[in-house]
Amino acid sequence: TPGQQLRTLFYALPPGESSFRSLEEVPDYVEKSIPFFITFIGLEFAVSWIQKRKLSGRINDGISSLSLGILSRLPDVLFRSVDLISYIYVWNNYRLLELPWDSPWTWYLTLLGVDFAYYCFHRISHEVNILWAAHQVHHSSEDYNLFTALRQSVLQKYTSWMFNLPMALFIPPSVFAVHLQFNLLYQFWIHTEVITKLGPLEWILNTPSHHRVHHGRNPYCIDKNYGGTLIIWDRIFGTFEAEDAKVVYGLTHPVNSFDPIMLQLRPLAHIWNTFWATPGFCNKLSVIFKGPGWGPGKPRLGLPEEIPVITGKEVPFNPIVPAYLNCYAVVHFAIIVDLYTELLATVTMLSQGTVLLRIGFIILSLASFGLLMENKSKAGILEIIRCLVFIGVYKLGYFRSQFSFLGYAYEV
């Protein structure tokens, strides 16, 4: 029901309503939450306008975040989640005991297990350069709003899975699959500035205030508050920091781009170039496996004094773009969202060639929108090519809208 789905965003669906015998019975809570994502984003805009007389985000940054979110989900269209594939394999072949799937104790143990595994993975993703190259995508926005929650890495899921495997020795996959989704969904609503402090809950739960610190590039914010649902792990392991001075969001060295492809790949290119430029075999390995701030002669996580000073006068990357171009990008991005959701709904009925064609076009479109938002000179040429491709494949029937009455409008 809608009420149940709303409660999943706050991890408030109790064991009796979210325990399943088999993996096949577990709902896709994330996909069912999309209408609530949209509703809460609209609500955040309204509350931000009432509180501060300004919107909570920008068109260019919002489209960039949503583009990265779509991009991160595209592999799941082709393959089953690597988290579940690896987990099921260990469960089927190596489990030591089988906890009852319908026991509340199993449910709560899994809540703690999934969240602790997330804390460990999240912390290592900040402290190991090759993992940070994937995770930094989520931190690349200089805004902090619910759009930012959807800004995800394509590559991160291919390293996070291993941290969950110890649970596969005794926790049924159906229970794990529920909490894997709940842990992710909980982290959506904490990406906002419109909620200040939550009183005693701040001691136990990860809250918007705690997570604002995590997304800050102020020196006091770096490598703090890694928790997913609970903040207790940070308090236990010494990585907790309370919100203090006004947080300035983004990376210590901003990427200054809205191109989702570049945002995903440029950090890897930087590691590649640094690897070959660094002398000595051990130093080359350190480039990959030590912190992103490391250099020869420095401690593993780099020198705190090298973190850029925050003045409070930092100006986010915001190229001047004509109003009509913003409108154009919003309309065409909405069309891509329609095509993407239609692809999700019909993927099992489509040939692999058609699926790959649609995915390729979506990637091309997201890259084109990123360049448009930067007002790059080559963006116009790429956009003309993209529109011509769209007309061709739409006429040939490889694309289809969820709303048949919009077919002619799309061609126009």
Side-chain angles (χ1 to χ4, degrees), residues 305-344:
E305 56 266 30
E306 291 185 350
I307 298 170
V309 175
I310 295 300
T311 65
K313 299 178 181 179
E314 287 73 17
V315 179
F317 176 64
N318 196 29
I320 297 173
V321 175
Y324 74 85
L325 199 56
N326 278 328
C327 293
Y328 177 91
V330 169
V331 169
H332 278 257
F333 184 80
I335 293 172
I336 292 302
V337 171
D338 174 30
L339 297 178
Y340 167 69
T341 52
E342 202 275 335
L343 171 62
L344 292 180

Side-chain angles (χ1 to χ4, degrees), residues 326-398:
N326 278 328
C327 293
Y328 177 91
V330 169
V331 169
H332 278 257
F333 184 80
I335 293 172
I336 292 302
V337 171
D338 174 30
L339 297 178
Y340 167 69
T341 52
E342 202 275 335
L343 171 62
L344 292 180
T346 61
V347 64
T348 55
M349 298 179 282
L350 301 173
S351 69
Q352 193 166 21
T354 301
V355 171
L356 290 172
L357 180 64
R358 292 189 183 189
I359 288 175
F361 181 75
I362 289 172
I363 293 172
L364 172 65
S365 299
L366 299 180
S368 182
F369 300 152
L371 295 178
L372 284 173
M373 293 293 90
E374 294 177 32
N375 213 1
K376 290 285 183 69
S377 56
K378 58 185 176 182
I381 296 172
L382 182 62
E383 182 61 14
I384 290 170
I385 293 171
R386 188 189 76 86
C387 289
L388 291 174
V389 170
F390 175 84
I391 290 292
V393 294
Y394 200 82
K395 282 290 190 184
L396 292 171
Y398 290 106

Side-chain angles (χ1 to χ4, degrees), residues 85 150 178 186 235 244 257 276 289 297 307 320 323 325 328 397:
I85 291 173
L150 305 176
V178 167
Y186 178 89
R235 295 185 182 277
D244 186 11
S257 177
W276 290 111
F289 297 110
I307 298 170
I320 297 173
L325 199 56
Y328 177 91

Side-chain angles (χ1 to χ4, degrees), residues 42 91 97 220 225 233 302 344 347-348:
W91 170 261
L97 66 146
Y220 87 91
N225 299 0
W233 315 116
L344 292 180
V347 64
T348 55

